[in-house]
Amino acid sequence: MIESYFWIIYISTPLLITFMLRVANERLFKISIISFTVLSLYVFSVVGTLPLFYQWDDTRVNFGVTNPAIVLNVLIFSSINIQFFLVGVIIEKKISSNGLLPFDSIFGLSPLSRMQYIVLFIALVISFSMFLDYLSKINELAILKAILVGANEASVTRSEMGNDFSGKYHWYRFFMYSVSQLATYVLFANWIQKRGVLNFIVFLLVFIFSAFVAISAIEKAPLVWILVGVYLTYAIVAKNGILELRKIVPLLLILTVVMILMYQYFMGAENVVDAFSRFISRAFAGSIEPAYFYLEYFPAVEDYLHGATFPNPGGLLPFTPVRYTVDIANWVIPSLASRGIVGSMPTVFWGESYANFGPIGVPIIAFFMGYLISKLNSYVLIIKSNVVVVGFYVWMVLDIRAISEAGFSSYVFNFSLILMLILVALLLSFGKRIPIRKCLRSTSL
């Protein structure tokens, strides 16, 4: 009976998603914040439940994912999460009556002006300076330790560079990761629009910097998403945002090769087959596996948190946010603390909804997130397209799609987005043309 329920939900979910995307006037292979986020939610929170249910993945079984009934519940929550997310999108679009589609017709994008180049250069200097300051606060780079000593020895260093970093990591992360990635996408769009050796060299140098920052802590996903971002930038500028299958397949092959190499050299995979199996396991089951333990942990081990995971900017409120992803990692793998590793088990954003408010929190938070993200999307789409807007939109697509692998509260209180808006507004203010259309469509809250 459980197996029958599983297959009914597993098959009906993509059909419902496709139908609801059409109602929302979204196309799966047309780049937008909404379509890409929904696709990510489906891939990272639904697809991977199949190997978990049938226990095909030995790595996940060894971690304790052995109860098909709990996996079924994970699938149910994942399906509900996406559907209510889309309900929020549909209602926001009906209320706003915006009907805006991203980048339907891009011709003659304004390239970077001289002043925009200067502003972007200053931002990159700050980014590079922050990276150097960050390096001064850690003992060594995880990537160098993995290459010179070994992947196992580098795991502690990786923890020190992220979860166990003693400074204000969010500041460093914004300037090192976000600024360099935005600059990468903007400069690539600029080169596509205004070909030239100098423009390409500038883009290539910034791309190398952002790629090195991404892999310095032997994290695998950041480099992959930078490559995806470059492709999305190309698709928007050259193809009006349409994803072409003949271009996606080579990209997927490149990403697979990159991941195999990273698993071999950074994660201690024994051979290509082992590296490929680890990659597939991580790609499809790694993000949703922690949700299994969330359902075991709350409320049996720990009571629901009732909002205790929410950020406390500047410590203004009288509480310290609960690091629930770390607590669950320590519960699942008790040996982490003894090895000096601060582990983390983030999962799709409904995991945080459930941890705070139980089952009722999943559809409510999903609806709210769908409405909020759709509203944000409509605000960006009223800006006249230029290379800065394209780069910013790609950055937003990839930043927001991460709710398929992380909690929701950091996106409701999105520190990075606020700072990025300031930087983008500064860049647009030095553009050659006024960036806002005279006739703005209604986007009021």
Side-chain angles (χ1 to χ4, degrees):
M1 185 63 71
I2 289 178
E3 187 174 22
S4 299
Y5 288 145
F6 178 88
W7 277 107
I8 290 171
I9 298 170
Y10 195 81
I11 293 173
S12 63
T13 295
L15 300 177
L16 286 169
I17 291 173
T18 303
F19 171 75
M20 295 180 77
L21 280 172
R22 289 181 179 177
V23 174
N25 195 29
E26 293 284 337
R27 287 176 278 171
L28 194 58
F29 290 98
K30 172 76 172 178
I31 297 171
S32 79
I33 293 173
I34 294 166
S35 65
F36 203 84
T37 299
V38 169
L39 179 62
S40 296
L41 286 169
Y42 175 71
V43 170
F44 296 119
S45 68
V46 174
V47 174
T49 57
L50 181 61
L52 295 182
F53 186 82
Y54 286 102
Q55 300 178 27
W56 294 338
D57 191 331
D58 292 338
T59 301
R60 310 303 163 185
V61 172
N62 292 335
F63 268 112
V65 182
T66 56
N67 190 333
I70 298 179
V71 177
L72 174 61
N73 287 333
V74 169
L75 175 62
I76 291 171
F77 283 128
S78 293
S79 181
I80 290 172
N81 188 57
I82 299 175
Q83 290 170 46
F84 274 84
F85 178 89
L86 281 169
V87 169
V89 170
I90 292 168
I91 290 180
E92 188 281 325
K93 288 195 170 191
K94 296 298 182 184
I95 292 174
S96 299
S97 301
N98 55 57
L100 295 172
L101 288 173
F103 313 112
D104 263 351
S105 180
I106 291 187
F107 296 103
L109 282 179
S110 300
L112 290 173
S113 68
R114 181 176 298 179
M115 283 303 300
Q116 286 177 322
Y117 254 122
I118 292 173
V119 172
L120 201 58
F121 176 75
I122 292 171
L124 284 167
V125 169
I126 296 173
S127 176
F128 186 71
S129 300
M130 291 291 284
F131 183 56
L132 293 179
D133 186 60
Y134 171 74
L135 294 180
S136 70
K137 289 179 167 55
I138 57 178
N139 295 322
E140 53 192 331
L141 281 174
I143 185 173
L144 294 179
K145 194 165 186 179
I147 294 172
L148 299 175
V149 182
N152 292 331
E153 290 76 6
S155 58
V156 174
T157 305
R158 174 181 176 176
S159 175
E160 292 172 350
M161 293 180 68
N163 294 327
D164 201 23
F165 184 69
S166 57
K168 293 186 179 297
Y169 185 61
H170 60 279
W171 282 104
Y172 289 100
R173 186 169 183 85
F174 172 77
F175 283 102
M176 294 187 314
Y177 287 82
S178 297
V179 171
S180 65
Q181 289 169 18
L182 173 75
T184 297
Y185 308 142
V186 170
L187 291 169
F188 187 58
N190 188 67
W191 174 71
I192 296 174
Q193 192 63 24
K194 190 177 180 181
R195 303 276 178 159
V197 175
L198 181 59
N199 283 339
F200 179 75
I201 291 174
V202 171
F203 154 70
L204 186 61
L205 290 174
V206 175
F207 171 77
I208 291 172
F209 169 61
S210 63
F212 182 76
V213 170
I215 64 174
S216 60
I218 60 173
E219 292 181 285
K220 301 167 291 299
L223 177 59
V224 169
W225 289 116
I226 289 175
L227 295 174
V228 171
V230 170
Y231 170 71
L232 294 181
T233 304
Y234 162 79
I236 289 174
V237 177
K239 301 295 180 180
N240 288 339
I242 300 298
L243 298 175
E244 298 177 312
L245 186 60
R246 62 188 181 90
K247 296 289 179 62
I248 294 176
V249 171
L251 176 66
L252 291 176
L253 291 175
I254 292 171
L255 296 180
T256 300
V257 171
V258 169
M259 291 298 288
I260 288 174
L261 291 174
M262 293 182 74
Y263 268 100
Q264 278 193 279
Y265 291 101
F266 300 157
M267 304 305 293
E270 297 177 359
N271 49 50
V272 173
V273 175
D274 182 36
F276 180 74
S277 64
R278 289 197 197 187
F279 161 54
I280 294 298
S281 173
R282 176 63 184 87
F284 294 105
S287 298
I288 194 58
E289 176 211 24
Y292 178 98
F293 299 112
Y294 282 50
L295 298 185
E296 284 193 324
Y297 190 78
F298 299 104
V301 177
E302 184 75 28
D303 196 11
Y304 297 123
L305 299 174
H306 306 293
T309 67
F310 293 178
N312 185 6
L316 297 176
L317 301 175
F319 77 96
T320 301
V322 173
R323 300 181 73 186
Y324 66 102
T325 60
V326 176
D327 292 341
I328 291 177
N330 290 333
W331 178 68
V332 176
I333 316 172
S335 63
L336 288 176
S338 63
R339 292 158 54 195
I341 298 173
V342 178
S344 181
M345 278 195 165
T347 191
V348 59
F349 79 90
W350 72 253
E352 185 181 3
S353 308
Y354 179 85
N356 278 294
F357 309 113
I360 192 62
V362 175
I364 292 175
I365 298 297
F367 172 85
F368 173 75
M369 291 297 289
Y371 188 94
L372 180 67
I373 290 173
S374 182
K375 178 62 66 178
L376 184 62
N377 182 64
S378 65
Y379 278 136
V380 178
L381 293 182
I382 64 175
I383 305 175
K384 184 175 179 61
S385 298
N386 55 53
V387 294
V388 174
V389 173
V390 168
F392 176 54
Y393 195 80
V394 170
W395 179 85
M396 282 187 59
V397 166
L398 296 178
D399 185 64
I400 292 176
R401 71 90 217 156
I403 62 173
S404 62
E405 302 175 89
F408 68 87
S409 60
S410 60
Y411 291 88
V412 176
F413 307 95
N414 199 325
F415 169 82
S416 294
L417 178 60
I418 294 171
L419 289 179
M420 191 61 74
L421 283 169
I422 295 171
L423 174 58
V424 169
L426 185 61
L427 283 166
L428 290 177
S429 69
F430 288 104
K432 294 180 179 178
R433 297 180 232 175
I434 299 174
I436 307 296
R437 293 175 183 161
K438 291 182 181 179
C439 298
L440 300 182
R441 300 193 182 192
S442 175
T443 55
S444 60
L445 287 167

